[in-house]
Coordinates of all heavy atoms in Angstrom, one line a residue:
A1 N -13.0 1.6 -10.4 CA -13.6 0.2 -10.4 C -12.7 -0.8 -9.8 O -13.1 -1.8 -9.3 CB -14.0 -0.1 -11.8
A2 N -11.4 -0.6 -9.9 CA -10.4 -1.6 -9.4 C -9.9 -1.2 -8.0 O -8.9 -1.8 -7.5 CB -9.3 -1.7 -10.4
R3 N -10.5 -0.2 -7.4 CA -9.9 0.4 -6.1 C -9.8 -0.7 -5.0 O -8.8 -0.7 -4.3 CB -10.8 1.6 -5.6 CG -10.1 2.3 -4.5 CD -10.8 3.7 -4.3 NE -10.1 4.4 -3.2 CZ -10.6 4.5 -2.0 NH1 -11.8 3.9 -1.7 NH2 -10.0 5.2 -1.1
W4 N -10.8 -1.5 -4.8 CA -10.7 -2.5 -3.7 C -9.7 -3.5 -4.0 O -9.0 -3.9 -3.0 CB -12.1 -3.1 -3.5 CG -12.5 -4.1 -4.5 CD1 -13.2 -3.9 -5.7 CD2 -12.3 -5.5 -4.5 NE1 -13.4 -5.1 -6.3 CE2 -12.8 -6.1 -5.6 CE3 -11.6 -6.4 -3.6 CZ2 -12.8 -7.5 -5.9 CZ3 -11.5 -7.7 -3.8 CH2 -12.1 -8.3 -5.0
L5 N -9.5 -3.9 -5.3 CA -8.4 -4.8 -5.6 C -7.0 -4.1 -5.3 O -6.1 -4.8 -4.9 CB -8.5 -5.3 -7.0 CG -9.6 -6.2 -7.4 CD1 -9.7 -6.4 -8.9 CD2 -9.5 -7.5 -6.6
L6 N -6.9 -2.9 -5.7 CA -5.7 -2.1 -5.4 C -5.4 -2.1 -4.0 O -4.2 -2.3 -3.5 CB -5.9 -0.7 -6.0 CG -4.7 0.3 -5.7 CD1 -3.4 -0.2 -6.3 CD2 -5.1 1.7 -6.2
I7 N -6.4 -1.8 -3.1 CA -6.1 -1.7 -1.7 C -5.7 -3.0 -1.1 O -4.7 -3.1 -0.3 CB -7.4 -1.2 -1.0 CG1 -7.7 0.3 -1.3 CG2 -7.3 -1.4 0.5 CD1 -9.0 0.8 -0.9
E8 N -6.3 -4.1 -1.6 CA -5.9 -5.4 -1.1 C -4.5 -5.7 -1.5 O -3.7 -6.3 -0.7 CB -6.9 -6.5 -1.7 CG -6.6 -7.9 -1.2 CD -7.6 -8.9 -1.8 OE1 -8.4 -8.5 -2.6 OE2 -7.5 -10.1 -1.3
R9 N -4.1 -5.4 -2.8 CA -2.8 -5.7 -3.2 C -1.7 -4.9 -2.5 O -0.7 -5.4 -2.0 CB -2.7 -5.5 -4.7 CG -1.3 -5.7 -5.3 CD -1.3 -5.7 -6.8 NE -1.8 -4.5 -7.4 CZ -1.2 -3.3 -7.4 NH1 0.1 -3.2 -7.0 NH2 -1.7 -2.3 -8.0
L10 N -2.0 -3.6 -2.3 CA -1.1 -2.8 -1.6 C -0.9 -3.2 -0.1 O 0.2 -3.3 0.4 CB -1.6 -1.3 -1.6 CG -1.5 -0.6 -2.9 CD1 -2.2 0.7 -2.9 CD2 0.0 -0.4 -3.3
F11 N -2.0 -3.6 0.5 CA -1.9 -4.2 1.9 C -1.1 -5.4 1.9 O -0.2 -5.5 2.8 CB -3.3 -4.5 2.4 CG -3.3 -5.1 3.8 CD1 -3.2 -4.4 4.9 CD2 -3.3 -6.5 3.8 CE1 -3.2 -5.0 6.2 CE2 -3.3 -7.2 5.1 CZ -3.2 -6.4 6.2
D12 N -1.3 -6.3 1.0 CA -0.6 -7.6 1.0 C 0.9 -7.4 0.8 O 1.7 -8.1 1.4 CB -1.1 -8.5 -0.2 CG -2.4 -9.1 0.1 OD1 -2.8 -9.1 1.3 OD2 -3.1 -9.5 -0.8
E13 N 1.3 -6.4 0.0 CA 2.7 -6.1 -0.2 C 3.3 -5.3 1.0 O 4.4 -5.6 1.4 CB 2.9 -5.3 -1.5 CG 2.5 -6.2 -2.7 CD 2.8 -5.4 -4.1 OE1 3.6 -4.5 -4.0 OE2 2.2 -5.9 -5.1
A14 N 2.6 -4.3 1.5 CA 3.1 -3.5 2.5 C 3.3 -4.2 3.8 O 4.2 -4.0 4.6 CB 2.2 -2.3 2.7
V15 N 2.4 -5.2 4.1 CA 2.4 -5.9 5.4 C 3.6 -6.7 5.5 O 4.1 -7.1 6.6 CB 1.1 -6.7 5.6 CG1 1.2 -8.0 4.8 CG2 0.9 -7.0 7.1
E16 N 4.3 -7.1 4.4 CA 5.5 -7.9 4.5 C 6.7 -7.0 4.7 O 7.8 -7.6 5.0 CB 5.7 -8.6 3.1 CG 4.6 -9.6 2.8 CD 4.5 -10.7 3.8 OE1 5.5 -11.1 4.3 OE2 3.4 -11.2 4.0
L17 N 6.6 -5.7 4.6 CA 7.7 -4.8 4.9 C 7.9 -4.6 6.4 O 7.0 -4.6 7.1 CB 7.5 -3.5 4.2 CG 7.5 -3.5 2.6 CD1 7.0 -2.2 2.1 CD2 8.9 -3.8 2.1
P18 N 9.1 -4.2 6.8 CA 9.3 -3.8 8.2 C 8.5 -2.5 8.4 O 8.3 -1.7 7.5 CB 10.8 -3.4 8.2 CG 11.4 -4.3 7.2 CD 10.4 -4.4 6.1
R19 N 7.9 -2.3 9.6 CA 7.0 -1.2 9.8 C 7.7 0.1 9.5 O 7.0 1.1 9.0 CB 6.6 -1.2 11.3 CG 5.7 -2.4 11.6 CD 5.2 -2.3 13.0 NE 4.5 -3.5 13.4 CZ 3.9 -3.7 14.6 NH1 3.9 -2.8 15.5 NH2 3.3 -4.9 14.9
G20 N 8.9 0.3 9.8 CA 9.6 1.6 9.5 C 9.7 1.9 8.1 O 10.1 3.1 7.7
E21 N 9.5 1.0 7.2 CA 9.7 1.2 5.7 C 8.4 1.4 5.0 O 8.3 1.7 3.8 CB 10.5 0.1 5.1 CG 11.9 -0.1 5.6 CD 12.6 -1.3 5.0 OE1 12.0 -1.9 4.0 OE2 13.6 -1.7 5.5
R22 N 7.3 1.1 5.7 CA 6.0 1.1 5.0 C 5.5 2.5 4.5 O 5.0 2.6 3.4 CB 4.9 0.5 6.0 CG 5.0 -0.9 6.3 CD 4.0 -1.3 7.3 NE 4.2 -2.7 7.7 CZ 3.5 -3.3 8.7 NH1 2.7 -2.6 9.4 NH2 3.7 -4.6 9.0
T23 N 5.7 3.5 5.3 CA 5.2 4.8 4.9 C 5.9 5.3 3.6 O 5.2 5.8 2.7 CB 5.5 5.8 6.1 OG1 4.7 5.4 7.2 CG2 5.0 7.2 5.6
D24 N 7.2 5.2 3.6 CA 7.9 5.7 2.4 C 7.5 4.8 1.2 O 7.3 5.4 0.1 CB 9.4 5.6 2.6 CG 10.0 6.6 3.6 OD1 9.3 7.6 3.8 OD2 11.1 6.4 4.1
W25 N 7.4 3.5 1.4 CA 7.0 2.7 0.3 C 5.6 3.0 -0.3 O 5.4 3.1 -1.5 CB 7.0 1.2 0.7 CG 6.7 0.2 -0.4 CD1 7.6 -0.3 -1.3 CD2 5.4 -0.4 -0.7 NE1 7.0 -1.2 -2.1 CE2 5.6 -1.2 -1.8 CE3 4.2 -0.3 -0.2 CZ2 4.6 -2.0 -2.4 CZ3 3.1 -1.0 -0.7 CH2 3.4 -1.8 -1.8
L26 N 4.6 3.3 0.7 CA 3.3 3.6 0.2 C 3.3 5.0 -0.5 O 2.5 5.2 -1.4 CB 2.3 3.6 1.4 CG 1.8 2.3 1.9 CD1 1.1 2.4 3.2 CD2 1.0 1.6 0.9
E27 N 4.1 5.9 0.0 CA 4.1 7.2 -0.7 C 4.6 7.1 -2.1 O 4.2 7.8 -3.0 CB 4.9 8.2 0.1 CG 4.3 8.6 1.4 CD 5.1 9.6 2.2 OE1 6.3 9.8 1.9 OE2 4.5 10.1 3.2
R28 N 5.6 6.2 -2.3 CA 6.1 5.9 -3.7 C 5.1 5.2 -4.6 O 4.9 5.6 -5.7 CB 7.4 5.1 -3.6 CG 8.6 5.7 -3.1 CD 9.8 5.0 -3.5 NE 9.8 3.6 -3.3 CZ 10.1 3.0 -2.1 NH1 10.5 3.7 -1.1 NH2 10.0 1.7 -2.0
M29 N 4.4 4.2 -4.0 CA 3.5 3.4 -4.7 C 2.1 3.9 -4.9 O 1.3 3.5 -5.8 CB 3.4 2.0 -4.1 CG 4.8 1.3 -4.0 SD 5.5 1.1 -5.7 CE 4.3 0.1 -6.4
C30 N 1.7 4.8 -3.9 CA 0.3 5.2 -3.8 C 0.2 6.7 -3.6 O -0.1 7.1 -2.5 CB -0.4 4.4 -2.7 SG -2.1 4.6 -2.6
P31 N 0.4 7.5 -4.6 CA 0.3 9.0 -4.5 C -1.1 9.5 -4.1 O -1.3 10.6 -3.6 CB 0.7 9.5 -5.8 CG 0.4 8.4 -6.8 CD 0.6 7.1 -6.0
D32 N -2.1 8.6 -4.3 CA -3.5 9.0 -3.9 C -3.7 8.9 -2.4 O -3.6 7.8 -1.9 CB -4.5 8.1 -4.6 CG -5.9 8.3 -4.1 OD1 -6.3 9.5 -3.9 OD2 -6.6 7.3 -3.9
S33 N -3.9 10.1 -1.7 CA -3.9 10.1 -0.3 C -5.1 9.3 0.3 O -5.0 8.7 1.4 CB -4.0 11.5 0.2 OG -5.2 12.2 -0.2
S34 N -6.2 9.3 -0.4 CA -7.4 8.5 0.1 C -7.1 7.0 0.1 O -7.3 6.4 1.2 CB -8.6 8.8 -0.8 OG -9.7 8.0 -0.4
T35 N -6.6 6.5 -1.0 CA -6.3 5.1 -1.0 C -5.2 4.7 0.0 O -5.2 3.7 0.7 CB -5.8 4.6 -2.4 OG1 -6.9 4.9 -3.3 CG2 -5.5 3.1 -2.5
R36 N -4.1 5.6 0.0 CA -3.0 5.3 1.0 C -3.5 5.3 2.4 O -3.1 4.5 3.2 CB -2.0 6.4 0.8 CG -0.7 6.2 1.7 CD 0.4 7.1 1.3 NE 0.1 8.5 1.5 CZ 0.0 9.4 0.6 NH1 0.1 9.1 -0.7 NH2 -0.3 10.7 0.9

């Protein structure tokens, strides 16, 4: 039920990171492969 809010929040946080750090950060924060 909160998936769209989760995606928006993850995007907002990840977009501020250097591109080279995004993948590792998302793998730590978002173990669900579909959402990631």
Side-chain angles (χ1 to χ4, degrees):
R3 189 165 181 259
W4 74 270
L5 290 173
L6 171 63
I7 291 171
E8 181 178 8
R9 176 169 57 78
L10 288 170
F11 174 86
D12 286 343
E13 295 185 17
V15 79
E16 297 297 328
L17 293 170
R19 294 185 188 182
E21 298 177 11
R22 291 174 182 172
T23 298
D24 289 343
W25 184 85
L26 280 171
E27 287 179 351
R28 291 199 311 272
M29 300 301 298
C30 188
D32 171 41
S33 63
S34 175
T35 302
R36 184 169 66 246

